[in-house]
Amino acid sequence: MAGPLDVKALDSNNQSPDEGLIEDFGIVDKKAVEQLAEGLISHYLPDLQRSKLALKELTQNQEVLLETLQQEISKFKECNSVLDINMLFSEAKYYHNKLVNVRKEMMMLHDKTSKLKKRALRLQQKRQKEELEREQQREKELEREKQLTAKPAKRT
């Protein structure tokens, strides 16, 4: 009842399916083994060689892809540096305009201070002139009072 691959029969005999193979090799002819090996190689070798070529081509394509990817990455880095440069130029323009405005404001303040100094000088000169005129007026009044005061006549 048990066939050659019957598991129950193997378990009861404690033999593995490969146990009888070693004795069977003595019966097999070496020429037959060589022919089988050559047939096996001739059958699978073309597929393996095609697979090898396909893998080689795939590897080359991956290398080209990797190189292209690295070039694109470097382009992105260049773009980022160009953006950084553009940002620096924008900042430079902003600060240049700010500097021009500060310069204009300083010139305007300088003009105002110059005008104020001139005005202050004119006012000071005017006050001094007025003070001088008042002083001269007082002196004239004092002189006039002196002349108006009675003087005792000199006896001769």
Side-chain angles (χ1 to χ4, degrees):
M1 279 176 77
L5 292 177
D6 191 7
V7 176
K8 291 179 183 176
L10 287 177
D11 285 342
S12 63
N13 293 335
N14 283 337
Q15 292 180 349
S16 73
D18 293 338
E19 272 188 37
L21 289 180
I22 295 175
E23 294 114 19
D24 292 344
F25 278 137
I27 303 170
V28 177
D29 187 17
K30 286 187 178 182
K31 187 176 182 182
V33 170
E34 285 181 20
Q35 286 176 346
L36 286 172
E38 284 177 17
L40 188 65
I41 289 174
S42 67
H43 183 289
Y44 286 111
L45 189 62
D47 288 338
L48 290 173
Q49 287 175 338
R50 279 193 300 275
S51 297
K52 182 180 178 181
L53 285 174
L55 284 173
K56 187 176 180 180
E57 183 180 342
L58 185 65
T59 304
Q60 288 173 348
N61 288 342
Q62 284 180 340
E63 288 174 357
V64 168
L65 234 139
L66 184 62
E67 185 178 326
T68 305
L69 206 69
Q70 288 173 343
Q71 289 172 355
E72 291 298 317
I73 289 171
S74 66
K75 285 180 186 178
F76 278 120
K77 286 180 182 178
E78 288 175 21
C79 286
N80 283 340
S81 64
V82 166
L83 289 176
D84 290 342
I85 290 171
N86 286 338
M87 188 176 72
L88 287 176
F89 276 118
S90 296
E91 284 183 27
K93 185 178 180 182
Y94 169 77
Y95 286 115
H96 179 264
N97 288 337
K98 200 169 185 176
L99 184 63
V100 167
N101 290 336
V102 167
R103 186 174 180 204
K104 284 180 186 177
E105 192 172 330
M106 285 179 67
M107 291 176 74
M108 183 182 69
L109 290 173
H110 176 70
D111 290 343
K112 283 185 177 181
T113 54
S114 296
K115 288 177 184 177
L116 285 173
K117 283 180 183 180
K118 287 179 184 178
R119 183 174 177 216
L121 184 61
R122 279 194 312 255
L123 288 173
Q124 186 180 12
Q125 289 173 346
K126 185 178 177 183
R127 284 184 190 147
Q128 286 176 350
K129 185 178 177 183
E130 288 173 356
E131 269 185 46
L132 184 61
E133 287 175 359
R134 275 188 292 223
E135 191 65 33
Q136 287 174 351
Q137 186 69 25
R138 280 187 207 145
E139 285 179 14
K140 283 181 185 179
E141 286 178 17
L142 284 176
E143 188 64 36
R144 191 171 166 208
E145 280 183 30
K146 277 185 184 179
Q147 288 178 355
L148 291 177
T149 52
K151 293 182 184 178
K154 286 187 183 176
R155 294 187 188 171
T156 36

